[in-house]
Amino acid sequence: MKKIVLCGGGTGGHIFPSIAVSVILKKEDCELYYIGVTGKSEEIISEKNEIDFYGYEFSGFPRKLQMEILVWPFQLLQAVHKAKVYLKHFKPDIVFGT
């Protein structure tokens, strides 16, 4: 049985291609995992489609000069670290990112 990690989010244009691929992969009896941002649309949509969701905290790059710009790089590093932990744990055969 193949283990496949789906990832991508932010908008439906990133999420729904993964979901469409998941429909085919489920028929092939693959283990599916979705990695994305907690509390965003990818979590809701993956759970509605019965795909195990594993999340991390993250937000988009601040567009204005604010204090968040100083914190954002550290949030990025934390998110990357968490995704690496998930990948080490799952040991997927394929990662499908959009």
Side-chain angles (χ1 to χ4, degrees):
M1 179 180 299
K2 296 265 186 207
K3 293 182 183 179
I4 300 174
V5 168
L6 307 168
C7 55
T11 67
H14 291 276
I15 301 164
F16 289 112
S18 292
I19 299 302
V21 167
S22 76
V23 171
I24 297 165
L25 295 173
K26 283 180 183 180
K27 291 177 184 174
E28 298 296 320
D29 202 31
C30 296
E31 282 184 54
L32 299 177
Y33 308 97
Y34 201 108
I35 298 176
V37 179
T38 303
K40 299 291 183 178
S41 53
E42 58 260 34
E43 180 176 14
I44 297 163
I45 294 168
S46 65
E47 289 176 352
K48 280 184 181 177
N49 288 277
E50 299 177 355
I51 302 169
D52 292 336
F53 181 84
Y54 295 85
Y56 53 86
E57 300 293 324
F58 193 62
S59 63
F61 185 76
R63 298 187 188 268
K64 297 179 182 178
L65 282 176
Q66 311 169 356
M67 291 301 287
E68 286 127 16
I69 250 176
L70 300 174
V71 177
W72 189 83
F74 298 102
Q75 291 174 335
L76 175 62
L77 290 173
Q78 284 180 326
V80 169
H81 173 72
K82 187 103 178 209
K84 283 182 177 182
V85 168
Y86 288 142
L87 291 174
K88 274 188 171 183
H89 176 72
F90 299 140
K91 296 181 179 144
D93 297 297
I94 298 169
V95 175
F96 182 77
T98 55

